[in-house]
Amino acid sequence: MNFQLTDRQSKLFEYIKSKHGDQKRKYSGAPYWTHLWSVAEIVSVYGNDQMEVEVALCHDLIEDTDATYADLEDQLKALQYTEVELNYILKGVEDLTDVFVSSDYPTLNRRKRKELEAERLLGISGHSQTVKYADIIDNTASILTEDPGFGRVYMGEITRYILKLNQGNPELYQRCLRSLGLRSLS
């Protein structure tokens, strides 16, 4: 299957790519947008809802660029997303945007911030969990291969919550667990 975006998704993706600018993937040096594409492609195979592709494309927008929720909302309106679609996408992006970041919580070390983030993630929607699984799958491969030391830290952070983050697409959840070398408790 060859992953393709609709015209409206393509226009949204062009906006997202422009906001990410010259950002690169840490290990490969590829344009950052390739990660967003990979996550969206994985979601398109397993996702239960077409809007999950948009959430996947936008999932790092607020966290990693100067874009705001208002900017994204304006862009979605300009592309004629309905109110229901717009709210779905914005909620998904909000679910997947890290809250406990060092700039907002400078007195907390990484471990504590990631513990709080893991707790927060347990409350996100099943649709957002589906996108999170795809994000983990795409990130895990490069981290474990290119930076085994940090890979151990990353794996520890993910395993704190992944077995409880089980309300998304069940097949993708199993693929995510396999990518981490884990099995479901069920």
Side-chain angles (χ1 to χ4, degrees), residues 38-101:
S38 294
V39 173
E41 185 174 29
I42 294 167
V43 164
S44 75
V45 173
Y46 294 94
N48 302 319
D49 187 306
Q50 184 62 29
M51 289 299 111
E52 288 175 355
V53 170
E54 277 87 342
V55 173
L57 292 171
C58 296
H59 80 273
D60 283 335
L61 187 66
I62 306 303
E63 187 174 312
D64 292 342
T65 76
D66 64 357
T68 64
Y69 289 107
D71 295 335
L72 178 56
E73 182 176 358
D74 289 346
Q75 186 63 34
L76 294 170
K77 285 179 180 176
L79 293 172
Q80 299 182 335
Y81 282 87
T82 67
E83 197 70 24
V84 170
E85 293 169 331
L86 185 147
N87 288 332
Y88 181 104
I89 296 165
L90 289 172
K91 178 61 176 146
V93 172
E94 179 183 3
D95 281 350
L96 297 169
T97 298
D98 284 349
V99 171
F100 297 99
V101 295

Side-chain angles (χ1 to χ4, degrees), residues 22 49 87 91 95 104 120 136 145 147 150 176 181:
D22 293 331
D49 187 306
N87 288 332
K91 178 61 176 146
D95 281 350
D104 293 338
R120 183 191 70 78
I136 291 168
T145 301
D147 192 349
F150 177 68
C176 180

Side-chain angles (χ1 to χ4, degrees), residues 88-137:
Y88 181 104
I89 296 165
L90 289 172
K91 178 61 176 146
V93 172
E94 179 183 3
D95 281 350
L96 297 169
T97 298
D98 284 349
V99 171
F100 297 99
V101 295
S102 60
S103 59
D104 293 338
Y105 295 89
T107 61
L108 300 180
N109 63 25
R110 178 183 172 93
R111 181 182 177 103
K112 184 60 179 173
R113 289 192 320 273
K114 291 299 180 179
E115 286 172 3
L116 292 168
E117 201 61 47
E119 186 176 313
R120 183 191 70 78
L121 284 170
L122 295 177
I124 68 175
S125 74
H127 295 292
S128 296
Q129 289 184 26
T130 296
V131 176
K132 185 66 177 172
Y133 304 155
D135 185 38
I136 291 168
I137 290 166

Side-chain angles (χ1 to χ4, degrees), residues 95-96 116-137 154 157-177 180 182 184-186:
D95 281 350
L96 297 169
L116 292 168
E117 201 61 47
E119 186 176 313
R120 183 191 70 78
L121 284 170
L122 295 177
I124 68 175
S125 74
H127 295 292
S128 296
Q129 289 184 26
T130 296
V131 176
K132 185 66 177 172
Y133 304 155
D135 185 38
I136 291 168
I137 290 166
Y154 177 78
E157 293 168 352
I158 300 299
T159 56
R160 278 194 195 102
Y161 65 84
I162 194 63
L163 292 175
K164 296 177 188 172
L165 196 74
N166 57 7
Q167 300 303 304
N169 178 280
E171 293 94 314
L172 186 55
Y173 179 62
Q174 292 304 317
R175 180 177 167 190
C176 180
L177 292 177
L180 297 166
L182 300 172
S184 174
L185 295 177
S186 57

